[in-house]
Amino acid sequence: MIDRRRFLEGLGTAALTAAALFTIASPVSFGAGQIAFISSAEAQTVEMAKLMAPGALPDLVLGKADAPVTIVEYASMTCGHCAHFHETTYPVLKEKYIDTGKVKFILREFPLDIVAKAAFMLARCAGPDKYYPMVDTLFETQKSWAFTNNPAQALLTIAKQGGMTEEQFNACLNDKKLAGEVDQVAERGSKEFGIDATPTFFINGKKISGAISPDELDKELEPLLTAN
């Protein structure tokens, strides 16, 4: 968990006005500040219609819309296991399955701290076309910004490299509507789908918790693709 006071102090002059956005240090603001979980036994498989129902933020889909397999990942930008998945398995997933039309992939926000929430907001502010490239960059450079004494300045540097100005950076992190929508995505994941850790995947509705290796990915996808 990132210390809220240290994070707000770290905002400094680069994004001081963004401090007003973050009011709690818990994962997301669910009612009284507590996450409501359902037992994992209740959510081993989720109906695809329910899983794919529109949420507070539009899903940004990678891959063909009519791909036979849909993978939904709930992740936190400061989650080390999530970064490991995106550095090791995700490139295989993209080249072997997404780019070949076999899988469509959707990443959904489940920030475990305010720094992760800020990173997700920046990815959304980058725009639909730059969302996944920004996510890739944030995971690749996670150690350089997520666990530093001044995460705000480090995020500002990354945002500028992605073409964002400091004014746009500040405006993004002060977007209360977007902040609330990120919270709603995470709240829905927790309450409706039993998400209580990251990464959590749904492969055609089947819930899998924890990072997936390339071999494990092949084992999960092969029977689904053979059936089609």
Side-chain angles (χ1 to χ4, degrees), residues 31-167:
Q34 299 294 320
I35 296 180
F37 296 131
I38 61 176
S39 69
S40 58
E42 291 180 90
Q44 291 303 311
T45 302
V46 174
E47 293 182 5
M48 286 300 294
K50 182 178 181 181
L51 183 65
M52 300 307 295
L57 286 169
D59 284 333
L60 298 175
V61 180
L62 276 183
K64 292 178 61 177
D66 60 350
V69 176
T70 299
I71 297 179
V72 176
E73 178 192 5
Y74 280 86
S76 176
M77 292 306 308
T78 54
C79 160
H81 292 292
C82 301
H84 180 72
F85 168 81
H86 279 266
E87 290 172 6
T88 58
T89 304
Y90 176 75
V92 177
L93 169 62
K94 189 172 187 305
E95 180 179 358
K96 190 173 180 179
Y97 296 104
I98 297 174
D99 292 347
T100 57
K102 298 174 182 177
V103 169
K104 66 178 177 181
F105 175 82
I106 297 166
L107 179 67
R108 289 182 183 165
E109 295 87 350
F110 199 88
L112 297 177
D113 53 63
I114 55 176
V115 179
K117 181 176 176 179
F120 270 130
M121 291 175 67
L122 290 175
R124 284 283 180 173
C125 289
D129 293 339
K130 294 184 178 181
Y131 176 81
Y132 282 106
M134 177 65 82
V135 166
D136 290 343
T137 297
L138 288 166
F139 275 132
E140 289 168 4
T141 61
Q142 187 187 75
K143 293 180 181 179
S144 72
W145 60 267
F147 312 113
T148 66
N149 290 328
N150 196 337
Q153 185 61 47
L155 285 173
L156 174 59
T157 299
I158 293 171
K160 284 184 174 180
Q161 291 171 349
M164 191 178 293
T165 66
E166 186 170 328
E167 181 179 10

Side-chain angles (χ1 to χ4, degrees), residues 27-30 111 117 178-188:
V28 282
S29 179
F30 298 164
K117 181 176 176 179
L178 177 58
E181 289 166 342
V182 171
D183 287 348
Q184 289 175 55
V185 171
E187 180 177 11
R188 180 188 176 210

Side-chain angles (χ1 to χ4, degrees), residues 175-222:
D175 188 338
K176 294 182 179 180
K177 180 176 182 293
L178 177 58
E181 289 166 342
V182 171
D183 287 348
Q184 289 175 55
V185 171
E187 180 177 11
R188 180 188 176 210
S190 173
K191 290 183 176 180
E192 295 188 20
F193 308 133
I195 310 298
D196 58 5
T198 57
T200 295
F201 302 89
F202 291 93
I203 301 180
N204 276 7
K206 178 184 176 182
K207 182 183 178 184
I208 300 174
S209 297
I212 303 172
S213 71
D215 287 344
E216 291 168 338
L217 180 69
D218 288 339
K219 291 178 182 178
E220 290 291 336
L221 295 182
E222 183 177 353

